[in-house]
Amino acid sequence: GHAELRSILTFTVNLARTAGTLILEGSQAIQSASDVNQKKNSVDLVTEYDVAVENLVMNEIRKAYPTFKFIGEESYSSGTRPELTDEPTFCVDPIDGTTNFVHGVPLACISLGLIYQKRPVLGVIYNPFLQHLYTGVEGQGSFLTCGTGSPMKLPLANPKPLPSLSKALIAVEWGADRGVPIITAKSNSFLRLASDPNDGVPGGRMCHSIRSLGSGALNIATVAQGSFDMFWEIGCWPWDVCAGIVIAQEAGGVVTGSHAALASAVADPSVDPFKVTPEILTGRKYLIIRKIPDTPQ
Ligand code: IPD
């Protein structure tokens, strides 16, 4: 119920702030040491802090909500892969934007999502470097709190209809999978988004520009805020997007998981913009998050 979600939100926000302190400590330590482990390949980084923050979060959740299930990036990659059930399930990325974290770029966050009956119902994203706290609860709106300020309802301004991709500021990510097929597909999409159609690239949209914050969760939060018009990524993990999905949807945003290419998905009215399938939460799928339902061009 509503009251229960409110109290879970209070718990989750406190947890995000506690984790944030550890992330900041880790960041200071890591700038003077070089103990970065390698995960899948040399660009998919994991630090001891990803693991420490996940353990902290997992233990606190276990104490407060012993019956809740837990899906976390680091326990998943070390083999703990619980099946998604109808039970309340926390879905957590301890540090989203690990590459930024390692390089000292202040764009990293903890992303805490709660799934109930296979749908994301609560999300908290906290960037401790900038003290930006994004929260969202199903049916109760989403908010941004900066530092000690008061919560601001999202989106921050009235979203304007997006008449075409050529008017959009679009977030994309390179991701950690640098295999040639996926990187080719991504770069071709980036090329079409960025290029002048009069310059010979078929389907070129020449959008206002392309951005990559280096954190899926922060890209989504920035869409929810109303600043980016869209975030598109191939190969998101559930913990990258779970919290963000609630925050974006509560801000009036649209989330689509689809195998359609970006441009055709925008033009394809058959893509149900409000459909969040369990597939998105359990598999690596294309993810498209749009600020507002736009007019097909
Ligand atoms: C990654 C970041 C990155 C995105 C990857 C994610 P991590 O998460 O969100 O922006 O491109 O798909 O896996 O590894 O920093 O937690």
Side-chain angles (χ1 to χ4, degrees):
H2 266 211
E4 197 175 1
L5 280 175
R6 295 299 312 170
S7 93
I8 299 174
L9 180 65
T10 304
F11 163 82
T12 310
V13 165
N14 288 336
L15 186 54
R17 291 193 186 278
T18 306
T21 305
L22 185 54
I23 294 171
L24 290 179
E25 280 168 23
S27 171
Q28 277 165 11
I30 215 159
Q31 294 312 313
S32 48
S34 57
D35 53 355
V36 178
N37 292 323
Q38 296 194 348
K39 208 154 47 178
K40 200 170 68 185
N41 57 37
S42 59
V43 295
D44 197 356
L45 303 170
V46 64
T47 67
E48 62 181 278
Y49 298 98
D50 295 69
V51 178
V53 173
E54 180 155 322
N55 286 339
L56 168 97
V57 163
M58 200 164 48
N59 290 336
E60 293 303 315
I61 290 173
R62 221 172 253 157
K63 273 191 262 167
Y65 299 101
T67 62
F68 285 18
K69 304 267 185 315
F70 184 87
I71 299 174
E73 176 172 34
E74 304 316 327
S75 37
Y76 185 93
S77 52
S78 60
T80 309
R81 302 179 174 193
E83 208 190 312
L84 187 64
T85 65
D86 281 345
E87 299 301 309
T89 304
F90 267 101
C91 183
V92 173
D93 192 340
I95 304 178
D96 187 52
T98 308
T99 307
N100 283 340
F101 172 76
V102 166
H103 288 262
V105 179
L107 295 171
C109 62
I110 178 163
S111 170
L112 298 150
L114 181 71
I115 303 167
Y116 180 53
Q117 294 180 337
K118 299 198 174 83
R119 280 152 23 89
V121 292
L122 179 150
V124 171
I125 293 172
Y126 182 55
N127 174 349
F129 298 94
L130 305 180
Q131 296 180 16
H132 286 181
L133 174 77
Y134 295 88
T135 64
V137 175
E138 191 182 56
Q140 299 177 39
S142 53
F143 297 86
L144 165 62
T145 307
C146 298
T148 54
S150 33
M152 298 178 280
K153 192 157 174 29
L154 301 182
L156 295 177
N158 274 340
K160 295 182 200 75
L162 181 65
S164 89
L165 281 183
S166 62
K167 301 277 187 293
L169 184 59
I170 300 176
V172 300
E173 283 293 334
W174 290 96
D177 187 341
R178 302 299 166 77
V180 166
I182 196 155
I183 223 67
T184 305
K186 286 185 183 185
S187 348
N188 284 339
S189 299
F190 303 169
L191 177 69
R192 272 189 294 142
L193 286 172
S195 59
D196 186 340
N198 301 320
D199 244 12
V201 175
R205 301 303 177 98
M206 204 162 76
C207 67
H208 279 173
S209 202
I210 297 181
R211 296 286 181 269
S212 298
L213 297 186
S215 150
L218 290 178
N219 284 321
I220 299 171
T222 308
V223 176
Q225 183 177 308
S227 306
F228 291 158
D229 295 292
M230 182 184 293
F231 168 53
W232 177 66
E233 182 167 5
I234 304 175
C236 298
W237 291 96
W239 42 82
D240 298 325
V241 302
C242 183
I245 285 173
V246 186
I247 293 165
Q249 288 185 326
E250 286 300 314
V254 168
V255 179
T256 316
S258 163
H259 284 87
L262 174 58
S264 62
V266 169
D268 180 5
S270 73
V271 176
D272 176 356
F274 292 100
K275 202 162 141 206
V276 180
T277 62
E279 259 183 352
I280 293 180
L281 297 169
T282 52
R284 286 167 73 90
K285 297 287 172 190
Y286 293 57
L287 178 78
I288 299 167
I289 295 196
R290 281 179 277 163
K291 188 160 73 176
I292 35 166
D294 38 355
T295 321
Q297 37 190 330

